[in-house]
Every structure is written in structure tokens, then in C-alpha cells.
Amino acid sequence: MPELLDSPITGSQASHGVQAFIIPGSITDPALHSIAEKVAAGTPLDFDDGMALWNTRDIFSLGMLANAMRQARHGKVAYYNINRHINYSNICALSCKFCEFHRKRGEHGAYEYNLEDIYRIAGEAAAAGATEVHIVGGLHPWLPFSWYIEMLSGLRQRYPQLHLKCFTAIEIDHLARLSKLSVREVLVALREAGLGSMPGGGAEVFDDRVHDEVFKGKLRSDGWMQVHKIAHELGIATNATILYGHVETRAERVRHLIKLRELQDEAPGFQTIIPLSFIPDGSELGHLPGPTGLEDLKMLAISRLMLNNFAHVKAFWIMQTMKLSQVSLDFGVDDLDGTVVWYDITKREGGAGNKHQEQTVQDIRRVIMEAGYIPAERDTLYRRVIRNGAEWSVENT
Ligand code: SF4
């Protein structure tokens, strides 16, 4: 059993460059040697490098390279947070084929929370010591823009300590159409009401073929990137995702990552890449098998290696499972997300209406320590949290 590490964290714990963590003699695939040199030199990997990483059978060298990049940034620290997801409604104007969540109004299983429901849930989260609520939903056809403003301002007034991470780029674009405001005006209004940052959902795969086959009608990649670019220009931090393991090719995944890296260069503001493993259960693509564990590990490691200008790579345990997320800490991942509690959008092996999906802090910390890493509670903006039960503050940096 590995040594359990649970020491206080000082600084970044990352005192060495990438090169210090690369073991060239262990690489058995010759195609990875030039990639190792680029990783050591901090040179961005190109499309051919990305494909070589996908095609390699030398999974341990792939992990070693991704982990070199991870350790140079974060040392042995692995982050988590105490959060609560609130999916305010599954009523959606669209019907993306990969989505098991959406319903039309009146359809069996359709729901919408009212503002009091949302305040109550957020209040439970705040009382339990959460630092963040993560709020996303379907593209509700009738809720007015003022409802979203009222939701945020009501939450901020009641629970000023909670960071409000809300609305994918798809929802922001929807709100702009609904309100007849520009995306910039919508983001400014939401920020004034309490928006703290944006999650990274809705990116799916940046490719028109995949878009037209699986999520036609949804914002295209240029629109998604434009929303995030404007958010970054306004100083709103965001995350990014890729939904992999359905109809896309490996080449399309690599191009997606390169587009994200280019946008980060152009308009910095992404904190974290969150590769989302497609869960077919209950969706129109339920006949597909979904990614295997090896594909999950490769996707996480390749994301780390391709996105050298992203600070963090997260394994979202709901998608990759906590068991594989634990292993992924040796494959470039530095963040395991958080307690979540309820997540209505998807659930492995079917939810049967019950989407209670919760990890305790003790379990998250145990998983991290057993893997040989140091658990560090963070807030949404990756500041270290100093905690005393449900009371908390952030470390001065
Ligand atoms: S993925 Fe989002 S936009 Fe597409 S159907 Fe589901 S809830 Fe609606």
C-alpha cells in the first residue's frame, strides 16, 4: 500500500521543471521520443503529435509524460472542492442525440425548480460548508431573462459566501436570443447579479460533421468559443470540456484540443479542461458502447499534454467513475471535482429517476492519499481553502 500523505500544503509543491519528471529510458515507443523532447522544452504539441499519442500502445510512457507536465505545475497536490450541482430544469428547446437529460414540457420526467427551490438547495449547501454552487439547465423556452437575474441576485443576497458558477455558453447564447441583448450585455448583467464564473459544458466536439450528426441546432463551435472569448475579456473565468466517445474520431478530438489551446492563447481565461466521457445509457445514441477505461485514461493524459497553456485537468468522477479518476492522477489529472451531491444530467448504469450522486470529503481525500497525492481543498478559482467545519476562508496568496 502506498504511503499516505496528508501534510499541510505550502506553495505550489512544484519546485522542478517538466524535464525533472521525464524518464527517457522508459519510453518504448520510438514515436514518443520527439514528443518527450517537446514536452521537456515546453513546445506545444501539433496535430501529428496528438495522433501519435492516440496511436501509441506505450500507455505507461503516455502517463509518464502527462504526469511530468502535471507534477511540474502542481507537485503531488490533487485538488477537490465542496460543491453542489443544481440543474434548475431539464425542459429544453433542443434534442441533442447524446443527451438523456432533456424533456419537453408535459413529457414524463420534465421538471423545473422555482426560485424558492433553488434558494433552499443552495441554503443546504451553504450550511454544509460548500464553497460553490454549479448551476446549469436545459434551454428553457419560456423562462424570461429576468428570472435568471433574480435567481443570481437572490442567491448572492442570501448566501454571499457561495461562488455562483453558472450557465454554459449554450445557455448564455440562448439568453441573448431570449432577451434580444448581445452576449456581452447578457454576461455583464449576469455578473452584476452575482455570476462568479462559467462552467465549460456545451463544447461537445468542435467539428461541423459531428455537430450536424449529433447536436444539430445547437450553437456551433465558433459561437461557443465567441461566448468564452467575451467572458474572458470581461474577466470572467471559465472552464472547457470535450464530450468524447460517441461518433467523433480521434483526429477530431485532437483538433478540438488545438482549437481550445489557440483560444486560450488569444483570450486567456480558461482554468480547467474537463474531458467528459460519453455515457450512452438512455440517450438516442444508446446503441453505442461508450469509451473504455483505456480510452478514458488516454483522453485525460492527451488533454494534459496538448493543452500546455491550461493550468488544470479535471477527471469528473461522475463521468469517468471515481475508481478510474483515482488512477488518472498518475495520467496528468490534478483535480477530482467535488462532492456534487445531486447531478441530474446523467448517471452511469441508469438513474431510475434517482440522480443522487455524492462523494464525501473523507472518501475524496482517501482516494487521493491512497494514490500517493496530497489532497487540497480549493475554491472555484483554485485558491486554497482553510476550513473549520462548515466555516471556511481562502488562503491569502
Ligand atoms: S445537451 Fe443541453 S441543449 Fe442539448 S438537449 Fe440536452 S439540455 Fe438541451
Side-chain angles (χ1 to χ4, degrees), residues 146-184:
S146 57
W147 185 86
Y148 298 87
I149 295 289
E150 199 181 335
M151 171 169 64
L152 293 186
S153 55
L155 286 169
R156 184 171 60 177
Q157 187 187 18
R158 287 167 176 78
Y159 315 110
Q161 73 274 39
L162 282 179
H163 180 103
L164 307 180
K165 183 170 76 174
C166 312
F167 312 130
T168 66
I170 312 301
E171 289 166 280
I172 298 293
D173 177 73
H174 173 68
L175 295 179
R177 290 167 197 267
L178 204 68
S179 62
K180 299 192 169 39
L181 296 170
S182 68
V183 164
R184 188 175 295 270

Tab-separated table of all heavy atoms in Angstrom, residues 146-184:
chain	number	residue	atom	x	y	z
A	146	SER	N	-35.202	37.866	-16.948
A	146	SER	CA	-35.297	38.442	-15.598
A	146	SER	C	-35.298	37.341	-14.523
A	146	SER	O	-34.851	37.561	-13.394
A	146	SER	CB	-36.559	39.297	-15.478
A	146	SER	OG	-37.698	38.511	-15.779
A	147	TRP	N	-35.791	36.141	-14.863
A	147	TRP	CA	-35.815	35.028	-13.895
A	147	TRP	C	-34.385	34.631	-13.511
A	147	TRP	O	-34.085	34.378	-12.340
A	147	TRP	CB	-36.554	33.836	-14.513
A	147	TRP	CG	-36.762	32.675	-13.583
A	147	TRP	CD1	-37.785	32.489	-12.710
A	147	TRP	CD2	-35.902	31.523	-13.443
A	147	TRP	NE1	-37.631	31.299	-12.034
A	147	TRP	CE2	-36.480	30.679	-12.465
A	147	TRP	CE3	-34.717	31.123	-14.054
A	147	TRP	CZ2	-35.909	29.473	-12.087
A	147	TRP	CZ3	-34.145	29.917	-13.668
A	147	TRP	CH2	-34.737	29.109	-12.698
A	148	TYR	N	-33.506	34.608	-14.487
A	148	TYR	CA	-32.112	34.211	-14.229
A	148	TYR	C	-31.401	35.282	-13.397
A	148	TYR	O	-30.607	34.980	-12.509
A	148	TYR	CB	-31.376	33.984	-15.557
A	148	TYR	CG	-31.983	32.865	-16.377
A	148	TYR	CD1	-33.047	33.113	-17.252
A	148	TYR	CD2	-31.518	31.570	-16.263
A	148	TYR	CE1	-33.617	32.093	-17.994
A	148	TYR	CE2	-32.081	30.538	-17.007
A	148	TYR	CZ	-33.132	30.807	-17.865
A	148	TYR	OH	-33.696	29.792	-18.587
A	149	ILE	N	-31.715	36.545	-13.721
A	149	ILE	CA	-31.121	37.651	-12.953
A	149	ILE	C	-31.601	37.581	-11.501
A	149	ILE	O	-30.812	37.718	-10.557
A	149	ILE	CB	-31.528	39.011	-13.591
A	149	ILE	CG1	-30.920	39.140	-14.995
A	149	ILE	CG2	-31.137	40.174	-12.688
A	149	ILE	CD1	-29.431	39.351	-15.023
A	150	GLU	N	-32.891	37.319	-11.352
A	150	GLU	CA	-33.455	37.244	-9.995
A	150	GLU	C	-32.853	36.062	-9.230
A	150	GLU	O	-32.571	36.156	-8.034
A	150	GLU	CB	-34.980	37.101	-10.096
A	150	GLU	CG	-35.701	37.467	-8.817
A	150	GLU	CD	-37.212	37.288	-8.949
A	150	GLU	OE1	-37.744	37.339	-10.084
A	150	GLU	OE2	-37.856	37.076	-7.900
A	151	MET	N	-32.650	34.961	-9.935
A	151	MET	CA	-32.050	33.789	-9.278
A	151	MET	C	-30.669	34.143	-8.724
A	151	MET	O	-30.362	33.881	-7.557
A	151	MET	CB	-31.921	32.627	-10.268
A	151	MET	CG	-31.103	31.474	-9.711
A	151	MET	SD	-31.158	29.968	-10.675
A	151	MET	CE	-30.405	30.399	-12.197
A	152	LEU	N	-29.834	34.760	-9.560
A	152	LEU	CA	-28.473	35.064	-9.114
A	152	LEU	C	-28.466	36.113	-8.004
A	152	LEU	O	-27.764	35.957	-6.997
A	152	LEU	CB	-27.624	35.553	-10.295
A	152	LEU	CG	-27.324	34.530	-11.393
A	152	LEU	CD1	-26.352	35.114	-12.402
A	152	LEU	CD2	-26.757	33.244	-10.834
A	153	SER	N	-29.238	37.168	-8.185
A	153	SER	CA	-29.208	38.216	-7.155
A	153	SER	C	-29.801	37.699	-5.851
A	153	SER	O	-29.320	38.032	-4.759
A	153	SER	CB	-29.904	39.487	-7.632
A	153	SER	OG	-31.203	39.183	-8.044
A	154	GLY	N	-30.817	36.831	-5.940
A	154	GLY	CA	-31.390	36.239	-4.728
A	154	GLY	C	-30.400	35.335	-4.021
A	154	GLY	O	-30.300	35.330	-2.788
A	155	LEU	N	-29.640	34.578	-4.789
A	155	LEU	CA	-28.621	33.702	-4.190
A	155	LEU	C	-27.510	34.524	-3.552
A	155	LEU	O	-27.051	34.229	-2.454
A	155	LEU	CB	-28.031	32.775	-5.266
A	155	LEU	CG	-28.935	31.632	-5.726
A	155	LEU	CD1	-28.362	30.962	-6.968
A	155	LEU	CD2	-29.125	30.606	-4.615
A	156	ARG	N	-27.094	35.567	-4.259
A	156	ARG	CA	-25.991	36.378	-3.720
A	156	ARG	C	-26.400	37.068	-2.423
A	156	ARG	O	-25.622	37.171	-1.482
A	156	ARG	CB	-25.536	37.413	-4.750
A	156	ARG	CG	-24.326	38.203	-4.254
A	156	ARG	CD	-23.734	39.070	-5.306
A	156	ARG	NE	-24.693	40.055	-5.799
A	156	ARG	CZ	-24.406	40.987	-6.691
A	156	ARG	NH1	-23.191	41.046	-7.201
A	156	ARG	NH2	-25.313	41.845	-7.087
A	157	GLN	N	-27.651	37.526	-2.415
A	157	GLN	CA	-28.139	38.220	-1.214
A	157	GLN	C	-28.220	37.262	-0.022
A	157	GLN	O	-27.826	37.590	1.089
A	157	GLN	CB	-29.520	38.787	-1.528
A	157	GLN	CG	-30.073	39.674	-0.454
A	157	GLN	CD	-31.518	40.060	-0.774
A	157	GLN	OE1	-32.186	39.426	-1.595
A	157	GLN	NE2	-31.989	41.090	-0.133
A	158	ARG	N	-28.707	36.043	-0.281
A	158	ARG	CA	-28.899	35.092	0.820
A	158	ARG	C	-27.601	34.416	1.253
A	158	ARG	O	-27.395	34.160	2.431
A	158	ARG	CB	-29.899	34.006	0.391
A	158	ARG	CG	-31.331	34.502	0.317
A	158	ARG	CD	-32.221	33.499	-0.422
A	158	ARG	NE	-33.616	33.911	-0.414
A	158	ARG	CZ	-34.124	34.844	-1.216
A	158	ARG	NH1	-33.336	35.476	-2.094
A	158	ARG	NH2	-35.403	35.167	-1.148
A	159	TYR	N	-26.749	34.081	0.292
A	159	TYR	CA	-25.547	33.278	0.595
A	159	TYR	C	-24.324	33.912	-0.073
A	159	TYR	O	-23.775	33.374	-1.041
A	159	TYR	CB	-25.728	31.835	0.101
A	159	TYR	CG	-27.077	31.269	0.454
A	159	TYR	CD1	-28.034	31.030	-0.531
A	159	TYR	CD2	-27.408	31.012	1.786
A	159	TYR	CE1	-29.289	30.546	-0.201
A	159	TYR	CE2	-28.664	30.536	2.124
A	159	TYR	CZ	-29.600	30.302	1.125
A	159	TYR	OH	-30.839	29.835	1.454
A	160	PRO	N	-23.894	35.062	0.429
A	160	PRO	CA	-22.810	35.780	-0.259
A	160	PRO	C	-21.504	34.997	-0.306
A	160	PRO	O	-20.643	35.284	-1.137
A	160	PRO	CB	-22.664	37.064	0.573
A	160	PRO	CG	-23.341	36.791	1.875
A	160	PRO	CD	-24.390	35.767	1.617
A	161	GLN	N	-21.355	33.993	0.581
A	161	GLN	CA	-20.100	33.229	0.582
A	161	GLN	C	-20.032	32.220	-0.565
A	161	GLN	O	-18.955	31.716	-0.881
A	161	GLN	CB	-19.911	32.505	1.930
A	161	GLN	CG	-20.809	31.299	2.171
A	161	GLN	CD	-22.171	31.650	2.762
A	161	GLN	OE1	-22.780	32.659	2.401
A	161	GLN	NE2	-22.661	30.800	3.652
A	162	LEU	N	-21.171	31.875	-1.167
A	162	LEU	CA	-21.173	30.864	-2.231
A	162	LEU	C	-20.730	31.466	-3.557
A	162	LEU	O	-21.259	32.496	-3.985
A	162	LEU	CB	-22.581	30.284	-2.418
A	162	LEU	CG	-23.057	29.237	-1.418
A	162	LEU	CD1	-24.491	28.819	-1.768
A	162	LEU	CD2	-22.145	28.024	-1.412
A	163	HIS	N	-19.796	30.810	-4.216
A	163	HIS	CA	-19.421	31.216	-5.571
A	163	HIS	C	-20.467	30.655	-6.535
A	163	HIS	O	-20.802	29.471	-6.484
A	163	HIS	CB	-18.036	30.657	-5.914
A	163	HIS	CG	-17.571	31.028	-7.288
A	163	HIS	ND1	-16.640	32.018	-7.519
A	163	HIS	CD2	-17.920	30.548	-8.505
A	163	HIS	CE1	-16.433	32.131	-8.814
A	163	HIS	NE2	-17.199	31.249	-9.441
A	164	LEU	N	-20.960	31.502	-7.430
A	164	LEU	CA	-22.003	31.083	-8.372
A	164	LEU	C	-21.366	30.791	-9.727
A	164	LEU	O	-21.054	31.701	-10.493
A	164	LEU	CB	-23.068	32.178	-8.495
A	164	LEU	CG	-23.684	32.659	-7.167
A	164	LEU	CD1	-24.720	33.752	-7.419
A	164	LEU	CD2	-24.302	31.502	-6.389
A	165	LYS	N	-21.146	29.512	-9.988
A	165	LYS	CA	-20.603	29.084	-11.293
A	165	LYS	C	-21.788	28.617	-12.128
A	165	LYS	O	-22.368	27.566	-11.839
A	165	LYS	CB	-19.592	27.953	-11.092
A	165	LYS	CG	-18.946	27.509	-12.399
A	165	LYS	CD	-17.780	26.571	-12.167
A	165	LYS	CE	-18.269	25.193	-11.815
A	165	LYS	NZ	-17.178	24.204	-11.721
A	166	CYS	N	-22.148	29.398	-13.117
A	166	CYS	CA	-23.450	29.152	-13.753
A	166	CYS	C	-23.411	29.313	-15.272
A	166	CYS	O	-22.712	30.184	-15.793
A	166	CYS	CB	-24.482	30.151	-13.236
A	166	CYS	SG	-24.549	30.340	-11.464
A	167	PHE	N	-24.202	28.518	-15.944
A	167	PHE	CA	-24.615	28.654	-17.342
A	167	PHE	C	-23.495	28.352	-18.339
A	167	PHE	O	-22.471	29.032	-18.393
A	167	PHE	CB	-25.183	30.056	-17.626
A	167	PHE	CG	-26.193	30.512	-16.610
A	167	PHE	CD1	-26.089	31.755	-16.011
A	167	PHE	CD2	-27.242	29.686	-16.237
A	167	PHE	CE1	-27.011	32.178	-15.064
A	167	PHE	CE2	-28.176	30.096	-15.292
A	167	PHE	CZ	-28.055	31.349	-14.701
A	168	THR	N	-23.751	27.359	-19.162
A	168	THR	CA	-22.829	27.054	-20.259
A	168	THR	C	-22.943	28.138	-21.328
A	168	THR	O	-23.895	28.935	-21.344
A	168	THR	CB	-23.186	25.708	-20.907
A	168	THR	OG1	-24.470	25.846	-21.541
A	168	THR	CG2	-23.216	24.580	-19.890
A	169	ALA	N	-21.991	28.108	-22.252
A	169	ALA	CA	-22.040	29.055	-23.375
A	169	ALA	C	-23.336	28.894	-24.166
A	169	ALA	O	-23.857	29.861	-24.733
A	169	ALA	CB	-20.837	28.832	-24.285
A	170	ILE	N	-23.860	27.671	-24.197
A	170	ILE	CA	-25.109	27.414	-24.928
A	170	ILE	C	-26.262	28.168	-24.255
A	170	ILE	O	-27.107	28.770	-24.923
A	170	ILE	CB	-25.423	25.892	-24.939
A	170	ILE	CG1	-24.188	25.077	-25.331
A	170	ILE	CG2	-26.618	25.582	-25.834
A	170	ILE	CD1	-23.616	25.399	-26.669
A	171	GLU	N	-26.289	28.124	-22.930
A	171	GLU	CA	-27.338	28.860	-22.208
A	171	GLU	C	-27.153	30.367	-22.363
A	171	GLU	O	-28.129	31.106	-22.503
A	171	GLU	CB	-27.311	28.475	-20.715
A	171	GLU	CG	-27.798	27.063	-20.439
A	171	GLU	CD	-27.444	26.610	-19.029
A	171	GLU	OE1	-26.277	26.209	-18.818
A	171	GLU	OE2	-28.311	26.678	-18.151
A	172	ILE	N	-25.918	30.829	-22.318
A	172	ILE	CA	-25.671	32.275	-22.468
A	172	ILE	C	-26.167	32.748	-23.835
A	172	ILE	O	-26.841	33.781	-23.952
A	172	ILE	CB	-24.161	32.589	-22.308
A	172	ILE	CG1	-23.667	32.205	-20.902
A	172	ILE	CG2	-23.875	34.059	-22.622
A	172	ILE	CD1	-24.227	33.012	-19.761
A	173	ASP	N	-25.869	31.987	-24.868
A	173	ASP	CA	-26.335	32.336	-26.212
A	173	ASP	C	-27.868	32.324	-26.260
A	173	ASP	O	-28.494	33.211	-26.848
A	173	ASP	CB	-25.756	31.334	-27.218
A	173	ASP	CG	-26.260	31.584	-28.623
A	173	ASP	OD1	-25.816	32.579	-29.227
A	173	ASP	OD2	-27.109	30.804	-29.108
A	174	HIS	N	-28.468	31.337	-25.606
A	174	HIS	CA	-29.931	31.239	-25.541
A	174	HIS	C	-30.514	32.474	-24.843
A	174	HIS	O	-31.508	33.056	-25.307
A	174	HIS	CB	-30.292	29.959	-24.777
A	174	HIS	CG	-31.741	29.788	-24.487
A	174	HIS	ND1	-32.679	29.552	-25.468
A	174	HIS	CD2	-32.430	29.820	-23.305
A	174	HIS	CE1	-33.878	29.441	-24.907
A	174	HIS	NE2	-33.751	29.603	-23.604
A	175	LEU	N	-29.878	32.890	-23.744
A	175	LEU	CA	-30.376	34.057	-23.007
A	175	LEU	C	-30.229	35.335	-23.836
A	175	LEU	O	-31.061	36.243	-23.742
A	175	LEU	CB	-29.630	34.196	-21.672
A	175	LEU	CG	-29.861	33.053	-20.666
A	175	LEU	CD1	-29.060	33.283	-19.393
A	175	LEU	CD2	-31.338	32.913	-20.341
A	176	ALA	N	-29.186	35.389	-24.648
A	176	ALA	CA	-29.005	36.566	-25.510
A	176	ALA	C	-30.141	36.641	-26.538
A	176	ALA	O	-30.707	37.712	-26.793
A	176	ALA	CB	-27.649	36.498	-26.202
A	177	ARG	N	-30.488	35.496	-27.114
A	177	ARG	CA	-31.593	35.481	-28.087
A	177	ARG	C	-32.911	35.835	-27.407
A	177	ARG	O	-33.722	36.595	-27.937
A	177	ARG	CB	-31.719	34.092	-28.724
A	177	ARG	CG	-30.572	33.750	-29.648
A	177	ARG	CD	-30.591	32.267	-29.991
A	177	ARG	NE	-29.312	31.856	-30.526
A	177	ARG	CZ	-29.025	31.822	-31.818
A	177	ARG	NH1	-29.937	32.163	-32.698
A	177	ARG	NH2	-27.832	31.457	-32.232
A	178	LEU	N	-33.102	35.259	-26.216
A	178	LEU	CA	-34.350	35.459	-25.466
A	178	LEU	C	-34.541	36.930	-25.093
A	178	LEU	O	-35.632	37.485	-25.203
A	178	LEU	CB	-34.250	34.610	-24.191
A	178	LEU	CG	-35.484	34.145	-23.475
A	178	LEU	CD1	-36.220	33.114	-24.325
A	178	LEU	CD2	-35.072	33.488	-22.147
A	179	SER	N	-33.457	37.549	-24.655
A	179	SER	CA	-33.541	38.917	-24.128
A	179	SER	C	-33.316	39.966	-25.205
A	179	SER	O	-33.483	41.156	-24.956
A	179	SER	CB	-32.492	39.104	-23.033
A	179	SER	OG	-31.191	38.934	-23.584
A	180	LYS	N	-32.885	39.494	-26.402
A	180	LYS	CA	-32.533	40.404	-27.501
A	180	LYS	C	-31.382	41.341	-27.100
A	180	LYS	O	-31.288	42.472	-27.561
A	180	LYS	CB	-33.752	41.193	-27.983
A	180	LYS	CG	-34.865	40.291	-28.512
A	180	LYS	CD	-35.924	41.066	-29.238
A	180	LYS	CE	-36.897	40.198	-30.006
A	180	LYS	NZ	-37.315	38.948	-29.366
A	181	LEU	N	-30.537	40.858	-26.213
A	181	LEU	CA	-29.319	41.578	-25.843
A	181	LEU	C	-28.141	40.885	-26.518
A	181	LEU	O	-28.257	39.745	-26.992
A	181	LEU	CB	-29.119	41.546	-24.322
A	181	LEU	CG	-30.175	42.251	-23.464
A	181	LEU	CD1	-29.959	41.927	-21.989
A	181	LEU	CD2	-30.138	43.756	-23.690
A	182	SER	N	-26.996	41.552	-26.539
A	182	SER	CA	-25.797	40.885	-27.052
A	182	SER	C	-25.263	39.934	-25.979
A	182	SER	O	-25.610	40.056	-24.790
A	182	SER	CB	-24.730	41.923	-27.402
A	182	SER	OG	-24.251	42.527	-26.209
A	183	VAL	N	-24.402	39.015	-26.387
A	183	VAL	CA	-23.774	38.098	-25.422
A	183	VAL	C	-23.028	38.900	-24.361
A	183	VAL	O	-23.092	38.602	-23.165
A	183	VAL	CB	-22.828	37.123	-26.161
A	183	VAL	CG1	-21.884	36.432	-25.190
A	183	VAL	CG2	-23.642	36.094	-26.941
A	184	ARG	N	-22.335	39.938	-24.790
A	184	ARG	CA	-21.583	40.760	-23.834
A	184	ARG	C	-22.527	41.403	-22.819
A	184	ARG	O	-22.267	41.405	-21.612
A	184	ARG	CB	-20.792	41.838	-24.592
A	184	ARG	CG	-19.816	42.629	-23.728
A	184	ARG	CD	-19.005	43.590	-24.589
A	184	ARG	NE	-18.142	42.886	-25.528
A	184	ARG	CZ	-16.898	42.508	-25.260
A	184	ARG	NH1	-16.365	42.787	-24.085
A	184	ARG	NH2	-16.181	41.866	-26.158
